[in-house]
């Protein structure tokens, strides 16, 4: 069997979340030409996190919960995240009952998320005094509502539930990003971008190039967000106006306020997910 090429002899293996919330990253990479210099791997947030932690990716998005569980092997890339500073539109608790009535009820957890699941558990317990019977389920609203009175969804299915299916079926939709902001006053970060510590040590300049490519990608996309939305709408079940509202609702930044939100989330869920709330969070230093 041929040995895998060393990091210096191949393109960096970079993850890309295959949800609408990351279309601006992809659009900008295409239009800047940076995509040609990357080996892009598309998948769900959950599977990309596993691949990055296992060493099958060099750089990529990782769900916040999985980063908090594995900070020792990763360094965060500043100014890149998927989050919200208020409602997020696509991380939702969808329920047939008032949220406060979900105590001891079954709640289906979509199998494509870890951070949103933990956020939902936290808000239900601390804000509504509800301790449901949770179980994993494919992220399909119809199946969820057959098996339980409520479910947690992320990504495109959650966006459809908020905009279309929830109102049509008379379901209650709790935007978990909005609930977190109302509760704490802080932004919610659902996914961060990180580089493996071993790849950074071997390829510091290449890491900076990839980081810069992503920053430029977001700048390009958000400067022409109407074009991004119009192109995405050609192939999606959402119109361009809806997608433009969605893309501008999302918070792709990761600065001091977002870091404060991460630390607060870590503090509140530390016992729930088994992490040290005081663990250091290392960001790629300028010029590193």
């Amino acid at each position: 069997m041929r040995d895998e090429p060393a990091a210096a002899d191949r393109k960096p293996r970079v993850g890309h979340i295959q949800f609408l919330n990351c279309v601006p990253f992809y659009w900008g990479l295409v239009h800047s030409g940076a995509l040609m210099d990357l080996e892009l791997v598309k998948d769900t947030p959950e599977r990309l996190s596993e691949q990055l932690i296992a060493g099958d990716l060099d750089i990529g998005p990782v769900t916040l919960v999985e980063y908090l569980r594995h900070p020792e092997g990763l360094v965060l890339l500043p100014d890149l995240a998927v989050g919200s500073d208020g409602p997020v539109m696509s991380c939702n608790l969808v329920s047939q009952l008032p949220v406060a009535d979900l105590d001891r009820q079954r709640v289906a957890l979509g199998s494509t998320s870890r951070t949103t699941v933990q956020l939902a558990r936290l808000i239900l317990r601390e804000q509504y005094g509800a301790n449901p019977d949770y179980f994993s389920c494919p992220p399909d609203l119809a199946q969820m509502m057959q098996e339980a009175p409520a479910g947690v969804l992320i990504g495109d299915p959650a966006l459809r539930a908020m905009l279309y299916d929830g109102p049509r079926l008379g379901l209650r939709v709790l935007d978990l990003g909005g609930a977190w902001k109302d509760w704490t006053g802080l932004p919610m970060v659902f996914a961060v971008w990180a580089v493996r510590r071993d790849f950074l040590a071997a390829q510091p300049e290449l890491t900076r190039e990839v980081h810069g490519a992503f920053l430029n990608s977001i700048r390009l996309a958000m400067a022409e967000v109407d074009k991004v939305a119009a192109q995405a709408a050609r192939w999606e079940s959402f119109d361009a106006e809806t997608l433009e509202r969605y893309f501008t609702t999302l918070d792709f930044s990761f600065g001091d306020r977002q870091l404060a939100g991460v630390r607060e989330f870590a503090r509140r869920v530390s016992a729930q997910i088994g992490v040290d709330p005081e663990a250091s969070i290392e960001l790629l230093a300028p010029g590193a």
Side-chain angles (χ1 to χ4, degrees):
M1 181 181 294
R2 187 171 62 88
D3 292 337
E4 182 178 335
D9 301 324
R10 57 170 170 77
K11 294 180 181 180
R13 302 166 301 177
V14 176
H16 174 68
I17 296 173
Q18 206 164 13
F19 285 159
L20 279 167
N21 58 15
C22 285
V23 162
F25 285 101
Y26 187 76
W27 191 92
L29 290 173
V30 170
H31 283 258
S32 70
L35 188 61
M36 298 293 290
D37 295 321
L38 308 176
E39 181 185 329
L40 204 67
V41 178
K42 301 179 182 180
D43 216 321
T44 66
E46 188 174 58
R47 288 196 284 263
L48 290 173
S49 297
E50 292 170 351
Q51 291 174 63
L52 184 64
I53 291 163
D56 297 324
L57 293 175
D58 303 312
I59 298 172
V62 55
T63 65
L64 179 58
V65 161
E66 289 307 303
Y67 168 73
L68 293 173
R69 286 174 170 155
H70 303 277
E72 65 285 343
L74 302 173
V75 176
L76 296 187
L77 302 182
D79 303 316
L80 289 175
V82 174
S84 68
D85 198 356
V88 66
M89 297 178 67
S90 58
C91 296
N92 300 318
L93 173 74
V94 184
S95 180
Q96 302 171 44
L97 302 174
V99 177
D101 293 348
L102 291 175
D103 189 39
R104 301 186 182 182
Q105 297 286 337
R106 281 166 57 81
V107 171
L109 303 177
S111 58
T112 58
S113 173
R114 292 177 182 171
T115 300
T116 302
V117 160
Q118 299 301 335
L119 178 60
R121 286 176 178 264
L122 182 66
I123 288 173
L124 281 169
R125 184 179 66 246
E126 301 296 334
Q127 290 286 285
Y128 292 93
N131 289 287
D133 176 18
Y134 296 105
F135 68 99
S136 295
C137 180
D140 178 89
L141 181 62
Q143 181 176 339
M144 285 177 159
M145 294 299 97
Q146 288 178 352
E147 298 187 18
V152 177
L153 283 169
I154 71 163
D156 304 356
L159 188 61
R160 281 192 293 272
M162 169 164 279
L163 295 173
Y164 306 137
D165 299 337
R168 177 175 58 84
L169 298 172
L171 301 172
R172 296 167 170 84
V173 180
L174 177 66
D175 186 307
L176 294 166
W180 171 261
K181 177 66 181 289
D182 291 344
W183 185 19
T184 67
L186 292 167
M188 180 64 204
V189 175
F190 294 95
V192 289
W193 261 251
V195 56
R196 284 187 55 84
R197 195 176 297 275
D198 52 4
F199 184 83
L200 174 60
Q203 293 287 349
E205 290 305 315
L206 186 53
T207 298
R208 286 175 53 79
E209 289 176 15
V210 175
H211 181 216
F214 272 107
L215 293 176
N216 186 50
S217 174
I218 284 294
R219 282 194 293 268
L220 286 172
M222 299 315 290
E224 298 191 82
V225 67
D226 55 334
K227 293 183 180 179
V228 179
Q231 285 188 301
R234 292 177 59 193
W235 311 108
E236 301 293 339
S237 57
F238 306 98
D239 60 40
E241 182 179 357
T242 296
L243 290 178
E244 183 173 351
R245 177 161 66 95
Y246 179 47
F247 295 149
T248 52
T249 294
L250 293 166
D251 180 12
F252 297 112
S253 60
F254 190 68
D256 290 343
R257 292 191 69 248
Q258 289 76 22
L259 185 57
V262 166
R263 295 189 188 280
E264 183 63 14
F265 180 78
R267 184 184 71 80
R268 292 178 187 255
V269 302
S270 57
Q272 188 171 299
I273 65 173
V275 301
D276 178 4
E278 302 301 324
S280 62
I281 297 174
E282 184 178 351
L283 276 73
L284 181 69

